[in-house]
Amino acid sequence: MSTGSNETQLVIITGMSGAGKTVAIQSFEDLGFFCVDNLPPTLLPKFLELMKDSGNKMNKVALVMDLRGREFFDHLFKALDDLAEVSWVVAQILFLDADDPALVRRYKETRRTHPLAPSGLPLEGIQMERSLLEEMKGRAQLIYNTSQIKPRELREKILTEFSTNKKPIFTVNVMSFGFKHGLPIDADLVFDVRFLPNPHYIEHMRPKTGLDKEVSSYVLKWNETHKFLEKVTDLLAFMLPQYKREGKSQLVIAIGCTGGQHRSVALAEYIANHFAEDYTTQVSHRDIEKGKGTDHANKQS
């Protein structure tokens, strides 16, 4: 769904507990939406004022409203009626549903209690909730039944429906780091390049970094480097489509040398540039300034 330049896209996510609202709100976050979980319906008018006052900073918003705030839920229908009169907002209701057996199974698997039957059987709460949400379901523009789909498939469905370019977003983040400063905790894949010749031991290269042409040429000239890059890019060329198909929104590839200043920097730049034509790539250098005094900023490919 696309909106005009002066319109705000608002998606209200509601539906049955256990039908996938958590996966849904995470998916909208990946799409760049400003997201709020469990907004009481009585606060919707105030929230709309906040959206309007923000200018263009909140032009894509997703709100979860469900029966966790059931004492306020009666106010939601009036709020929706008022919303229909707001000309600068294009609003949609996304209702997530699932069949009773699927919801019961999910509650048993997670060992959670239903919010409407905290001390009773899950089915009792499910049936009560279904009755309370009947009118809301009737107002929804989109209804997804998640009984037979996995969380990954629900995520892909949302990304396809609400992405402006109708393509799931997948970003390859390539990071350089130094092992002596610790492993990056957010890395999905880590490659150790400390076996390559080290420019640190060449005195005039020591204060420079892998962003300098002389250093990167030195790192990239060795047969070992050529073989490493050939193998690692071949491996990644196979793996990246698999990660994308699995539904990941991003993959963090960490390239590590001793200090994170020379070898890892040059190779992170090379790998990010290598895949930039086929993927959205970002490259960052976590430890590049820790061994030197000059300033090198992160860059985007």
Side-chain angles (χ1 to χ4, degrees), residues 253-274:
I253 303 168
I255 312 295
C257 62
T258 303
Q261 183 179 331
H262 299 108
R263 294 167 291 182
S264 61
V265 171
L267 294 176
E269 290 283 329
Y270 181 97
I271 291 170
N273 288 330
H274 180 85

Side-chain angles (χ1 to χ4, degrees), residues 14 39 70 73 104 108 140 152 174 189 231 239 254 289:
T14 189
L39 181 76
R70 55 189 177 274
F73 206 68
V104 170
K108 287 184 175 293
R152 171 178 60 83
V174 188
L189 301 171
K231 292 179 181 297
M239 296 178 72
E289 298 300 325

